[in-house]
């Protein structure tokens, strides 16, 4: 049986102590007798064998793939996402939208990609079978988040209340308001009036707040709706459509929710209708 390579021994030792994320300089310091060129070649060989993944070109961030995750090509997101974004790239982030809803058990759809908010545009990355797509959010560090923790690790995720606002704001990118409403119905129980007020303060988007107020009214979520009403009090409201990209049309009959100044189709029903 051939002896394992020096790099294999380093990777095995790191995996035994649960350290799956390694930087090139860390590996090099553990193998001082190996030249930079020889180490690069050894890393590429381990990558071809599926033992290692480089998370993005130029990042020098390597991810060990334990045998139990060989089929998926990478360990779970919790094992590497936070370390990659906050430590290697040093960018603020949070898992968002349908991916955030899924962490709260509120997505009725299979989420094929992980949606992550960052401050500036980034290209998607593919890590094994995981595809991560990035959306941008201004003032991202002001947004309310929490940790999603599992035995494999943890990552930052939007609070349930910020998640509902993000979903309403970006419904056109997510398949439309009908799809978003299905997700929102699973999220209402996870939200609190205080959390809604905090998320509204952070986002500072009046039209989104108006749309959220109408959706809460349709689903008879009076407690959460009060927070929206209070937040909108004394703010200038203009008439907005329930769906952000919705154009006026004579082919569809609309009525106006006077409380929130939102135009919506007359046949739109609440969840209890």
């Amino acid at each position: 049986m051939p002896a394992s390579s020096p790099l294999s021994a380093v990777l095995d030792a790191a995996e035994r102590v649960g350290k799956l994320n390694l930087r090139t300089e860390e590996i090099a310091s553990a193998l001082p007798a190996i030249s930079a060129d020889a180490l690069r070649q050894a890393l590429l060989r381990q990558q071809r064998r599926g033992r290692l993944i480089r998370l993005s070109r130029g990042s020098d961030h390597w991810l060990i793939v334990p045998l139990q995750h060989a089929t998926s090509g990478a360990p779970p997101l919790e094992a590497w996402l936070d370390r990659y974004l906050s430590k290697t790239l040093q960018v603020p982030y949070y898992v968002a939208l349908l991916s955030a809803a899924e962490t709260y058990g509120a997505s009725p759809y299979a989420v094929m990609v992980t949606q992550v908010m960052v401050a500036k545009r980034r290209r998607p990355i593919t890590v094994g079978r995981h595809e991560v797509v990035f959306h941008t959010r201004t003032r991202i560090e002001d947004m309310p988040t929490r940790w999603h923790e599992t035995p494999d690790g943890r990552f930052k995720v939007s609070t349930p209340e910020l998640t509902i606002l993000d979903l309403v704001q970006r419904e056109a990118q997510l398949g439309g308001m009908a799809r978003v409403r299905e997700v929102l119905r699973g999220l209402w129980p996870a939200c609190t009036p205080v959390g809604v007020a905090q998320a509204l303060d952070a986002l500072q988007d009046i039209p989104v707040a108006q749309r959220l107020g109408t959706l809460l009214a349709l689903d008879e979520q009076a407690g959460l709706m009060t927070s929206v009403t209070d937040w909108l009090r004394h703010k200038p409201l203009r008439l907005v459509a329930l769906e952000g990209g919705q154009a006026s049309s004579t082919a569809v009959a609309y009525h106006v929710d006077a409380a929130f100044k939102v135009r919506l189709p007359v046949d739109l029903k609440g969840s209890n209708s």
Side-chain angles (χ1 to χ4, degrees):
M1 183 175 182
S4 64
S5 69
L7 177 55
S8 291
V10 169
L11 300 180
D12 290 343
E15 184 180 346
R16 278 195 296 272
V17 297
K19 187 174 184 179
L20 302 184
N21 296 269
L22 296 171
R23 300 293 300 276
T24 302
E25 58 265 30
E26 292 179 84
I27 300 171
S29 66
L31 298 167
I34 297 180
S35 69
D37 186 61
L39 178 59
R40 186 177 68 255
Q41 295 301 319
L43 288 167
L44 292 175
R45 283 194 296 271
Q46 294 292 339
Q47 188 177 20
R48 286 193 293 269
R49 292 170 183 164
R51 180 78 171 113
L52 277 179
I53 296 175
R54 185 165 61 176
L55 291 185
S56 64
R57 185 175 299 175
S59 72
D60 284 334
H61 185 132
W62 295 90
L63 181 65
I64 297 172
V65 182
L67 184 60
Q68 67 265 36
H69 299 301
T71 302
S72 60
L77 288 163
E78 298 93 317
W80 55 270
L81 186 67
D82 179 71
R83 185 170 293 275
Y84 172 61
L85 291 173
S86 65
K87 301 296 193 301
T88 296
L89 300 184
Q90 298 183 349
V91 297
Y93 80 95
Y94 62 86
V95 172
L97 301 168
L98 296 175
S99 299
E102 189 174 51
T103 69
Y104 297 115
S107 180
Y109 302 96
V111 182
M112 305 306 294
V113 300
T114 299
Q115 299 162 324
V116 177
M117 290 287 185
V118 290
K120 297 179 181 179
R121 291 182 63 182
R122 299 194 65 85
R123 292 180 181 274
I125 62 171
T126 300
V127 181
R129 292 185 180 176
H130 304 295
E131 183 180 358
V132 180
V133 296
F134 297 100
H135 301 258
T136 56
R137 164 66 68 211
T138 58
R139 297 180 294 102
I140 190 169
E141 292 176 287
D142 296 334
M143 299 298 124
T145 61
R146 62 176 61 170
W147 287 106
H148 172 67
E149 303 200 40
T150 75
D152 293 300
R154 65 180 190 169
F155 54 67
K156 287 181 182 177
V157 61
S158 53
T159 61
E161 298 84 4
L162 177 59
T163 302
I164 63 177
L165 287 172
D166 280 342
L167 290 168
V168 172
Q169 185 179 56
R170 303 184 189 228
E171 48 83 18
Q173 302 172 38
L174 304 172
M177 189 62 80
R179 183 185 190 197
V180 164
R181 286 192 71 196
E182 289 187 61
V183 181
L184 292 176
R185 288 166 186 152
L187 278 169
W188 299 143
C191 297
T192 67
V194 170
V196 169
Q198 290 173 340
L200 289 167
D201 282 339
L203 197 63
Q204 290 292 319
D205 191 315
I206 293 173
V208 168
Q210 292 174 249
R211 293 180 180 110
L212 177 62
T214 290
L215 292 169
L216 289 166
L218 285 169
D219 286 350
E220 300 182 6
Q221 298 292 319
L224 300 177
M225 187 179 69
T226 298
S227 290
V228 180
T229 302
D230 291 345
W231 189 83
L232 287 172
R233 188 171 289 120
H234 307 308
K235 290 183 171 63
L237 305 186
R238 59 180 176 82
L239 184 65
V240 298
L242 181 63
E243 298 190 47
Q246 190 180 76
S248 297
S249 171
T250 57
V252 179
Y254 293 98
H255 73 94
V256 174
D257 176 357
F260 295 103
K261 298 189 74 169
V262 174
R263 189 179 72 244
L264 63 162
V266 295
D267 60 352
L268 192 69
K269 299 183 184 299
S271 61
N272 296 318
S273 299

